[in-house]
Amino acid sequence: MITSHWILGPGAIGRLLAHSLAPLANLCVVSRRPLPIQQILTTPEGEQKVQRLDILTVEKLAEQAPVAPDAVHITTKAMAAEAALASLAERLPATTPLVLWQNGFLSQPRITRTWAGPVLCATTTQGAYLTGDDGVVHAGHGPTFIGDLNNRHGALATLLAQQLTQAGFETTAVVDIHQRLWQKLAVNAAINPLVALHGIRNGELRNASYQGQANAVIKEVAAIMQAEGIQPPGGGQGETGWLALVWQVVENTAGNKASMLQDLEAGRPTERKAILGPLMQSAAQHGLTCKNLEQLDDQLASEEGAIHQRVL
Ligand code: KPL
């Protein structure tokens, strides 16, 4: 039985998870800065639900020294996951199960290697965004998949999937989470950097001025996926399959402002290291060139550098 959860990182998915699990389990949201405990969830149907959530800063948590939880969900951005875990690690028994909700493939293999307890990874297409310190909008339902990279914790993944599903987070325990994380990473790599750098909505990638560049990026990603032995989901094969998939996601999310664009606009670092990093590393290992991905990474790095200069 999983009766208590800590959620580390009160971003959109973290808060949605907290609202969903709060009626079923003891819950604590751990935040870097104080947030109102009265939190508002707007459902996909537009209904507003107000819930008091136990939200504590890391410092308050240390003062209150609560009993360690049955599971810790890390819902920070990819590049903050390891530091977030480090800020809590000494309060957690080394056997505490972790669930990593990050995009890309950076913190997942590292934390799996270094944490003694079970490390599960989750990938979700739930749509959510924040409306301030006390509000999250659940924009749309989407499936969630959970599993561990070495397939050693299937029973725990099943237990968590059942509880998450009961909480309204439709979740399936899977044995191929590695493949699913890379499939999502491929789609994110093909869309996010381009729309972020051009400052456009996803659907604008279909414009003639961006289409060629997008296709060139997708082809590089497809070659790397081929080398990694990862096919697109839904039965597509190779380059044609990846092209079809990415353009379908562009169509389905045409009005979206991608997360990387939101990050740049908000002056935050992007998830480029977690999304483009593993692809460039894989290309190097397999002797593939990926000039487009490297160029996007360089451009994002200089945008982030410029932001850093402005905030100093
Ligand atoms: O997941 C996404 C993101 O914004 O990070 C995409 C697929 C690009 C949709 O916006």
Side-chain angles (χ1 to χ4, degrees), residues 47-294:
E47 201 188 322
Q48 292 214 323
K49 293 183 178 168
V50 181
Q51 259 189 124
R52 283 172 77 85
L53 297 176
D54 198 4
I55 306 186
L56 293 178
T57 58
V58 179
E59 293 74 26
K60 280 267 176 266
L61 189 87
E63 276 167 36
Q64 295 189 6
V67 177
D70 295 330
V72 173
H73 301 261
I74 304 183
T75 51
T76 61
K77 289 272 185 186
M79 53 285 180
E82 286 166 277
L85 176 59
S87 73
L88 273 195
E90 65 182 32
R91 330 222 145 270
L92 296 172
T95 50
T96 308
L98 305 178
V99 187
L100 309 181
W101 291 79
Q102 282 64 43
N103 280 329
F105 198 70
L106 182 71
S107 49
Q108 298 93 331
R110 290 189 190 167
I111 295 178
T112 299
R113 268 196 306 274
T114 52
W115 187 251
V119 179
L120 302 181
C121 305
T123 172
T124 187
T125 45
Q126 290 273 30
Y129 59 90
L130 296 178
T131 51
D133 277 1
D134 64 351
V136 61
V137 174
H138 187 190
H141 291 278
T144 299
F145 299 95
I146 190 166
D148 69 287
L149 294 178
N150 300 317
N151 279 322
R152 292 196 295 124
H153 304 292
L156 177 64
T158 304
L159 202 63
L160 271 158
Q162 281 164 354
Q163 196 178 43
L164 288 167
T165 302
Q166 202 188 344
F169 238 81
E170 185 220 316
T171 305
T172 310
V174 294
V175 293
D176 59 353
I177 196 72
H178 174 268
Q179 174 155 323
R180 287 173 189 271
L181 289 169
W182 274 78
Q183 286 167 335
K184 186 163 188 216
L185 174 152
V187 173
N188 281 324
I191 300 175
N192 259 313
L194 276 178
V195 293
L197 289 165
H198 290 300
I200 56 174
R201 300 265 168 175
N202 294 355
E204 291 175 77
L205 273 186
R206 294 171 297 192
N207 295 355
S209 41
Y210 306 120
Q211 229 183 70
Q213 200 188 359
N215 280 332
V217 172
I218 302 169
K219 286 178 187 174
E220 279 184 4
V221 171
I224 297 167
M225 290 293 150
Q226 186 74 31
E228 287 286 330
I230 294 171
Q231 296 300 331
Q237 292 291 313
E239 189 178 285
T240 326
W242 288 109
L243 281 161
L245 173 72
V246 173
W247 286 113
Q248 188 59 53
V249 175
V250 168
E251 189 78 29
N252 297 346
T253 62
N256 277 24
K257 203 180 248 196
S259 53
M260 217 175 250
L261 175 56
Q262 293 182 40
D263 286 339
L264 281 190
E265 285 184 351
R268 294 186 295 253
T270 70
E271 294 190 304
R272 71 183 171 84
K273 286 187 184 151
I275 292 172
L276 295 174
L279 287 171
M280 294 189 299
Q281 199 182 344
S282 166
Q285 273 159 8
H286 293 106
L288 296 168
T289 56
C290 59
K291 296 264 174 299
N292 287 285
L293 295 175
E294 283 166 2

